[in-house]
Amino acid sequence: TKLTLPATPEQVEASIKRSLARLRRERLDVLQLHNPTASSARDPELLASLKRAIDSGKVGCVGASAYDEETALAVLDTPLYRTLQVPFN
């Protein structure tokens, strides 16, 4: 499931609930942030919200897609992220 930013903690939770209902699942294997900026990928409020989703069992792991080097490095430098998707053509 992808999450488009910017998003408040409430929007993150609502997005997860919608995805769980749509997919008829109790847990999302991966929640992928769609093209975050480096600063949003490091945002403490967002990271806390994502960690709560993992701790609650609603999300297995969190990743991000990155289209620039700065964002990719921010994702790699943040332990919460477990996947990184980069463009490949």
Side-chain angles (χ1 to χ4, degrees):
T1 293
K2 76 175 183 180
L3 175 65
T4 302
L5 299 176
T8 66
E10 294 80 16
Q11 290 169 322
V12 170
E13 186 174 331
S15 176
I16 291 168
K17 282 184 177 181
R18 282 191 307 273
S19 292
L20 289 170
R22 186 175 54 250
L23 296 169
R24 291 184 262 168
R25 301 284 312 255
E26 293 183 16
R27 176 177 166 245
L28 302 174
D29 293 330
V30 178
L31 177 64
Q32 190 88 351
L33 303 184
H34 181 66
N35 198 21
T37 63
S39 62
S40 65
R42 292 185 187 111
D43 179 59
E45 192 173 276
L46 174 65
L47 293 172
S49 180
L50 297 172
K51 176 115 174 56
R52 281 192 300 275
I54 292 169
D55 291 346
S56 73
K58 292 179 182 175
V59 173
C61 70
V62 175
S65 61
Y67 293 89
D68 63 78
E69 182 179 1
E70 180 184 9
T71 301
L73 292 173
V75 169
L76 290 172
D77 195 39
T78 306
L80 184 67
Y81 296 107
R82 301 290 303 270
T83 67
L84 173 63
Q85 178 182 356
V86 295
F88 181 77
N89 297 16

